[in-house]
Amino acid sequence: MNSFFKFDKRIETASEKALEIAETQFGRIDEVTEYNQQKVISAFINNGVSESHFVSTTGYGYGDRGRETLDKIWAEVFGAEDALVRHNFTCGTHTLATALFGVLRPGDKMLSVTGTPYDTIHNVIGITGSEMGSLKDFGIVYDEVPLKDERLDYEAIKAAIDDSVTMVYIQRSRGYELRPSLLISEIERVVKIAKGKNPNVIVMVDNCYGEFVEKLEPTNVGADLIAGSLIKNAGGGIATTGGYIAGRHDLVEKCAYRLTTPGLGKEVGATLGMNRELYMGLFYAPHTVGEALKSAVYISALFCGFGYKTTPAYDAERGDIVQSLGLENPESLVAFCQGIQSGSPIDSFVSPEPWDMPGYDSKVVMAAGAFTMGSSIELSADAPIRRPYYAWIQGGLTFHSAKLCAMLAAQKMLDRGLLNV
Ligand SMILES: *Cc1c(COP(=O)(O)O)cnc(C)c1O
């Protein structure tokens, strides 16, 4: 190859083979990327974006054209009536919580149909924690329909929806589970079932990790409200913080009243010079997501070649950018994460070790060498040191940098006698 990095011949051969078997998937990913890139550019053109949209506002931020136009572009791209894109959203959880508190009222019922939601949402709903001001503290009822054999249980969902249900809640990504992510076609089927049973029901989707993975978004197939983080897919690796909500105009307006105050809503919010990076992030997002998907497919193919269980399989249909690898023992998880870290642009000299992370019942080892702290559209890997010893990997700003990290991870495992090649 070259003199920058040294690889065992067996790793190089395995890598070439992984690229070969991933080729068909890469073709599909390119097709989706091109479609989504054109969708984004046409929204920029339709809204006449110019340098004046990057002008910074301070104070109340009244009449910030950049902020207002970005909301319009976002709505167009996501096939929604309205959107709320703000750097003030501190993370995905905050954005999702704003949407939930924005539209639910005391006595309303939220029904999760993808089993128990992502960990950080538990305190928001009130599944765990008390006296924190959760939805439960405010008298909002929560119920869930568990998954069946890791998939949506359409019969049970149909049976659970009646006039008492205000919101059907769907999590598109697998998060830190081994279940498959949802495809847009599956989300569409839930929407049809839900509206068929109760036309007034609000279908909300946690869209984290799902943006631009397919040609359509949940809002294109009837979802009323979606939300996500800008340091994942939708920020394209450029946005340094923030979140977005998109959907029906009346619901987005309620979310804006929750983010700021009743009455003020979207009219306030100084952008402090953040507009340019949010525009640029959306411009890059389809491409960056394509790179992350190629990285995931390649890693899956490479480690499948080494004989490991990988989910999704390299040739599976994907609804998010998350990849997990069953590395079988603690030593391999640690070697893998250390190898990933060693090829990162930032903090390459750090060697991750398992630690007792608050909120986890086992030690966790993590690799992250990102330009934006905690960004998971940049390549990152983490693994709880417990059975069945899976590592979760997501992101990759550029395919070639992620490929390098994966090869270094395999080399590290080989050096320690942990890899069968
Ligand atoms: C990342 C993520 C969230 C929100 O997490 P933050 O770390 O607060 O951004 C919620 N749901 C899913 C499925 C996620 O992947």
Side-chain angles (χ1 to χ4, degrees), residues 25-250:
Q25 300 306 318
F26 280 25
R28 284 198 194 130
I29 292 166
D30 279 334
E31 194 204 320
V32 175
T33 300
E34 182 161 20
Y35 179 91
N36 285 328
Q37 188 71 73
Q38 292 193 6
K39 176 161 65 173
V40 166
I41 292 176
S42 92
F44 271 62
I45 293 169
N46 294 342
N47 286 279
V49 177
S50 72
E51 197 185 7
S52 62
H53 290 100
F54 305 154
V55 167
S56 183
T57 54
T58 57
Y60 296 98
Y62 290 134
D64 187 314
R65 277 181 61 236
R67 187 188 70 214
E68 291 167 4
T69 305
L70 185 65
D71 285 346
K72 285 198 191 120
I73 293 173
W74 211 277
E76 184 173 332
V77 166
F78 284 80
E81 288 173 6
D82 202 353
L84 182 66
V85 190
R86 294 293 181 276
H87 73 270
N88 315 72
F89 286 121
T90 58
C91 60
T93 307
H94 179 199
T95 314
L96 288 157
T98 303
L100 291 168
F101 278 99
V103 305
L104 293 169
R105 298 289 176 268
D108 283 355
K109 182 166 160 187
M110 167 186 178
L111 178 74
S112 167
V113 296
T114 38
T116 309
Y118 193 77
D119 277 23
T120 57
I121 311 300
H122 298 184
N123 286 331
V124 176
I125 296 171
I127 298 172
T128 53
S130 58
E131 308 286 310
M132 283 197 253
S134 66
L135 292 168
K136 190 176 166 197
D137 290 345
F138 283 92
I140 290 140
V141 180
Y142 171 78
D143 200 2
E144 62 188 36
V145 179
L147 296 169
K148 189 173 151 196
D149 302 324
E150 300 189 329
R151 308 216 77 116
L152 290 166
D153 186 346
Y154 295 108
E155 284 308 310
I157 292 170
K158 194 169 178 184
I161 299 170
D162 56 25
D163 287 344
S164 75
V165 177
T166 322
M167 174 189 281
V168 166
Y169 183 88
I170 299 170
Q171 182 183 308
R172 182 173 176 186
S173 169
R174 58 203 308 209
Y176 291 107
E177 290 170 57
L178 289 170
R179 68 137 165 126
S181 49
L182 297 194
L183 300 176
I184 290 295
S185 56
E186 295 172 294
I187 293 173
E188 185 172 21
R189 196 165 156 197
V190 175
V191 170
K192 290 216 169 98
I193 291 171
K195 303 273 177 182
K197 291 283 310 267
N198 175 357
N200 296 321
V201 85
I202 297 165
V203 178
M204 171 169 165
V205 179
D206 170 355
N207 210 26
C208 284
Y209 285 140
E211 300 90 352
F212 303 117
V213 170
E214 295 190 60
K215 288 182 183 172
L216 297 179
E217 298 293 336
T219 25
N220 291 119
V221 297
D224 300 291
L225 202 61
I226 57 174
S229 163
L230 296 189
I231 62 165
K232 293 180 180 174
N233 302 21
I238 304 286
T240 50
T241 186
Y244 76 91
I245 294 171
R248 242 168 61 192
H249 171 68
D250 60 322

